[in-house]
Amino acid sequence: MMSSLRVPLLLAALLSAALCQNYDYDYRPVHMLGPSGPNCHVECDCPVGFPTAMYCDGRKLTSFPAVPAGIKYLYLQNNQIDEIKAGVLDNVTAELRWLIMDNNLLTNGKVAKGTIDTLSGLEKLYLSGNQLTEPIIPASRALEELKIMNNKLAKFPAGQLSNKENLTSVNLQHNELTSESVSGAFKGSKRLLSLDVSHNKLKKLPTGIPNSLEILYADYNEIDSVAGGYLNKLPALKYLRISHNKLVDSGIPAGVFNVSTLVELDLSFNKLTSIPEINEQLQQLYLQANEISKFDLMSFCKYVGPVNYSHLKHLRLDGNNLTQASMPSETINCLREASEIMFNENSG
């Protein structure tokens, strides 16, 4: 059971669209776009209402269809394709912009050289739900979004993203990546904003990340510590999630999370026994399901005054050895902007 302490306060809504992890490509139903054009592959649709798109999704295809010239958006998700043969993309090497291949049967050994790797104009590459053991990266310097979730990735060789200066989002969750296997993997992607390595086998947060990063998700790994000064190397970071790991107090250097850029910090479902020091600018702090037994106000406010106080709005402490009675009387001044503080229900 848990209870919450609420303080009436008008809150500004947080932007959530940027954090969406669903398959969010702009998919237009074929039946709304008119009949198929004459040059389309026989098992696909190239609607006259959207002539630069070829829809081959959900057709039980086992082989990659040859793509006619003029196609920029290729939808092949939800099939049984296990091979990409040489030549099938030759007509669109320079013009293809989106390649959507989620939920197929691709393995690295059956993706021919001179296919995906030679695409020079690609902007979005979705390969989630396949059986890849290492990434397949196109030559395109225009690549903006890379999703290879739910595969069997065990390595991500350094340098593959070194010329991807337009890349803003990489999602690699639900793979078998280790800290060593991603070391240096993200160097060179100077505009990277979002990196998701949740549900892998990392023991440390990834290193060599561009200082442009704003969102880092590393939930459900085996991380037991955070290197001192780690966040200082990421001056734009706003959202950091390290829930469901093995974090302990000895692995959290003093002040490592005390950076003014952070908006959200999720350390829930770990093994912390104390509340780590945070910056007064942090707005969302999730510490539920740890082993915390003391509410230390100094973790939130070094000093309290008219202009010195925490801007924390949401604080979760349920699933710890704390109740509302654990809070010092000065908490109301320090956490004056908090709209909700959640504890275990005080059964005493």
XYZ file of all heavy atoms in Angstrom, residues 122 171 187 310 343:
42
model
N 19.086 7.534 -47.162
C 18.140 7.038 -46.168
C 18.090 7.941 -44.935
O 19.125 8.380 -44.422
C 18.527 5.617 -45.751
C 17.395 4.743 -45.183
C 16.349 4.465 -46.261
C 17.942 3.434 -44.642
N 17.525 3.712 -31.021
C 16.811 2.866 -30.068
C 17.278 1.425 -30.241
O 17.027 0.805 -31.276
C 15.298 2.967 -30.277
C 14.521 2.415 -29.094
O 14.944 1.455 -28.471
N 13.384 3.010 -28.795
N 30.138 7.664 -31.061
C 30.991 8.810 -31.369
C 30.757 9.267 -32.807
O 30.579 8.459 -33.702
C 32.461 8.442 -31.184
C 32.889 8.288 -29.733
C 34.374 7.978 -29.634
C 34.814 7.870 -28.179
N 36.251 7.550 -28.051
N 14.001 23.671 -3.684
C 13.923 22.680 -4.751
C 12.723 22.941 -5.648
O 11.647 23.303 -5.174
C 13.820 21.277 -4.146
O 13.550 20.327 -5.161
N 4.694 7.940 -0.589
C 5.333 7.077 0.407
C 4.562 5.769 0.528
O 3.458 5.630 0.032
C 5.308 7.750 1.787
C 6.198 8.935 1.929
C 5.727 10.212 1.700
C 7.524 8.791 2.334
C 6.525 11.323 1.843
C 8.342 9.885 2.486
C 7.845 11.161 2.234
